[in-house]
Amino acid sequence: GWKEAINTTIINFNNEKMQITWAARKLFPTENVSFSYTFDEGKRKVWKQCPNYLLDQDYNAGCLFKTEGPTLAISIRNSNGSEEFFSKIFKSDFYIKPDRPKNVTFFWKEDAVTVSCNKPRRAVHCLRLELQYKSKFDKDWQSRISKCCSIGEQGFDPRKCYSFRVRLKRLISDCNVVNYSSDWEAETFWMNGTLLDSCDDDTKPQSNTIIVLIFLLVVLLMILILLILLCKWQRLRKSFMPAIPDPKCIFADLFSDHNGNFQEWINKTDHAMVQTKLENEDPESIIEAESQHEGEKNSDKQGPQEKIFIFSRSDENNDPKAAQIACLMPTSNTIASFAGFQILMNDDMYVMF
């Protein structure tokens, strides 16, 4: 029953090397078996011992040797070769696993791609070329199979990046008894006919655009913050360091008609200012103003005295001179000097002396 119980795996690598493996630990837990083979037929068989054993925990689990013909006979025996456990004769050509495709080329024309490779030296009719591809938006590979050694496919979007891989398949029933395919050729990445290092490369321009936009937004935000701070600073500067108006702009008649002589200008307008004040004040204020005026006349008789001019905040709207003088004093509780006069301003009135 040993001969029927032993299962072996047979692989003929591109008709160049043979690999025979078996389940050593399961089949022979206490026996380290030996392996022999021959490609000869008939009575002239010459058995050869395995040149290169494959081990499984120090047990012989397989053998690797050179392919020397289409018909192979194998024998598995005990360690000294006196007892045979398994033997088999088969066609080695029916267990061929092809090599990877060589010199794979991609040809792009609009939305069509043609993939080709070099033809193997043997049994080209038994081989098929398999192409698989997918974009970054696809979950699974799309597969196409054609005769060796060229395949074409259409419908590729030039705006997408695609991954491609190819391999050779061995036909079963006609050429193989086992469905063996080659290993996949190295995966390549293409976009609109351009070879890329990876499909991540096509996202870099978008990432760069996002970075540039973020940078511009940050710059604009900084400029806005600076403008706000500048406005705040201007307000603070005006609060602590008020601008001094140019009297030439406010008192045009003072400089054009009186050549800047403030005493002459204020004497000329004295009567008009007092009259305006009397019209706007209550009777008690008028009596007080008249008393003050009489006192000024008496003082004029005695000799030159200091003149004191008082303007209330309400006068600014009715008396243009008072408004002009008020323009010289932009802040409250301030003392200024102009044309030999001292000007005192508080919250309610202006005093010139």
Side-chain angles (χ1 to χ4, degrees):
W2 278 109
K3 294 184 179 180
E4 289 77 12
I6 295 179
N7 292 324
T8 58
T9 301
I10 304 169
I11 303 176
N12 185 357
F13 292 103
N14 201 39
N15 210 24
E16 295 175 356
K17 288 185 177 182
M18 296 293 303
Q19 177 179 289
I20 314 294
T21 57
W22 55 88
R25 296 291 295 165
K26 180 179 178 181
L27 298 174
F28 313 107
T30 60
E31 184 79 23
N32 199 7
V33 299
S34 61
F35 178 86
S36 58
Y37 68 95
T38 181
F39 287 94
D40 300 327
E41 298 182 23
K43 296 181 180 180
R44 59 182 182 89
K45 290 181 181 180
V46 178
W47 291 91
K48 298 179 181 178
Q49 294 298 314
C50 178
N52 186 15
Y53 278 106
L54 304 177
L55 302 179
D56 179 13
Q57 299 181 7
D58 296 330
Y59 280 81
N60 296 334
C63 182
L64 185 65
F65 54 94
K66 184 179 179 181
T67 302
E68 299 175 358
T71 304
L72 174 63
I74 61 174
S75 176
I76 298 176
R77 298 173 176 269
N78 58 4
S79 57
N80 57 19
S82 60
E83 182 182 358
E84 185 178 71
F85 297 143
F86 176 77
S87 65
K88 185 176 182 178
I89 300 175
F90 55 91
K91 291 292 185 180
S92 61
D93 292 346
F94 288 168
Y95 296 86
I96 292 178
K97 179 178 180 179
D99 277 349
R100 294 178 178 178
K102 295 181 180 178
N103 296 329
V104 179
T105 58
F106 289 81
F107 176 74
W108 287 74
K109 186 177 181 180
E110 297 178 352
D111 67 337
V113 179
T114 302
V115 183
S116 58
C117 66
N118 289 353
K119 289 185 178 181
R121 294 176 299 174
R122 302 175 183 175
V124 178
H125 66 281
C126 288
L127 297 175
R128 294 292 181 267
L129 182 64
E130 182 180 7
L131 169 67
Q132 286 190 346
Y133 61 90
K134 68 176 180 178
S135 70
K136 62 180 182 180
F137 303 102
D138 299 326
K139 295 182 179 180
D140 301 321
W141 290 95
Q142 306 296 320
S143 184
R144 297 292 183 272
I145 299 177
S146 178
K147 291 183 178 181
C148 187
C149 291
S150 179
I151 186 172
E153 182 66 14
Q154 294 180 337
F156 291 97
D157 189 343
R159 297 169 298 179
K160 294 181 181 180
C161 177
Y162 291 90
S163 304
F164 290 91
R165 64 182 185 180
V166 293
R167 68 179 178 180
L168 291 173
K169 293 176 64 72
R170 181 88 171 178
L171 293 178
I172 58 173
S173 69
D174 294 338
C175 301
N176 261 31
V177 295
V178 182
N179 188 14
Y180 282 147
S181 300
S182 71
D183 295 333
W184 290 104
E185 180 63 10
E187 187 175 347
T188 56
F189 307 93
W190 295 82
M191 181 176 180
N192 196 19
T194 303
L195 180 64
L196 304 176
D197 292 334
S198 69
C199 276
D200 294 335
D201 295 347
D202 69 330
T203 60
K204 290 183 179 179
Q206 183 178 2
S207 300
N208 292 336
T209 303
I210 294 175
I211 293 174
V212 171
L213 291 176
I214 293 175
F215 177 76
L216 291 177
L217 290 175
V218 170
V219 171
L220 292 176
L221 182 61
M222 292 180 64
I223 293 174
L224 180 61
I225 294 174
L226 289 176
L227 290 175
I228 294 174
L229 292 176
L230 183 60
C231 293
K232 294 287 187 180
W233 166 248
Q234 291 291 342
R235 291 181 180 180
L236 290 174
R237 190 176 65 84
K238 288 181 180 180
S239 299
F240 291 100
M241 300 176 62
I244 299 175
D246 187 357
K248 289 183 179 181
C249 298
I250 302 175
F251 302 102
D253 55 344
L254 171 63
F255 292 94
S256 61
D257 299 338
H258 302 281
N259 296 324
N261 190 332
F262 188 81
Q263 182 68 47
E264 181 182 339
W265 174 76
I266 202 67
N267 288 336
K268 185 177 179 180
T269 58
D270 184 14
H271 178 71
M273 293 168 63
V274 172
Q275 184 66 29
T276 302
K277 187 173 183 65
L278 292 175
E279 291 176 357
N280 294 294
E281 291 186 353
D282 55 9
E284 294 181 0
S285 299
I286 294 174
I287 296 172
E288 183 180 351
E290 290 178 352
S291 302
Q292 183 179 356
H293 187 62
E294 291 178 358
E296 289 178 356
K297 287 182 178 180
N298 296 330
S299 63
D300 289 341
K301 294 178 180 180
Q302 295 176 359
Q305 297 290 334
E306 282 187 337
K307 286 189 175 184
I308 299 177
F309 301 93
I310 302 174
F311 303 94
S312 67
R313 285 282 187 176
S314 61
D315 293 339
E316 294 180 14
N317 298 326
N318 300 315
D319 192 340
K321 296 302 180 180
Q324 289 178 342
I325 294 174
C327 291
L328 291 174
M329 304 300 293
T331 59
S332 62
N333 299 325
T334 307
I335 298 178
S337 177
F338 177 72
F341 279 80
Q342 300 292 326
I343 302 173
L344 171 64
M345 188 192 76
N346 59 19
D347 292 338
D348 298 322
M349 64 179 63
Y350 302 99
V351 178
M352 301 180 61
F353 56 91

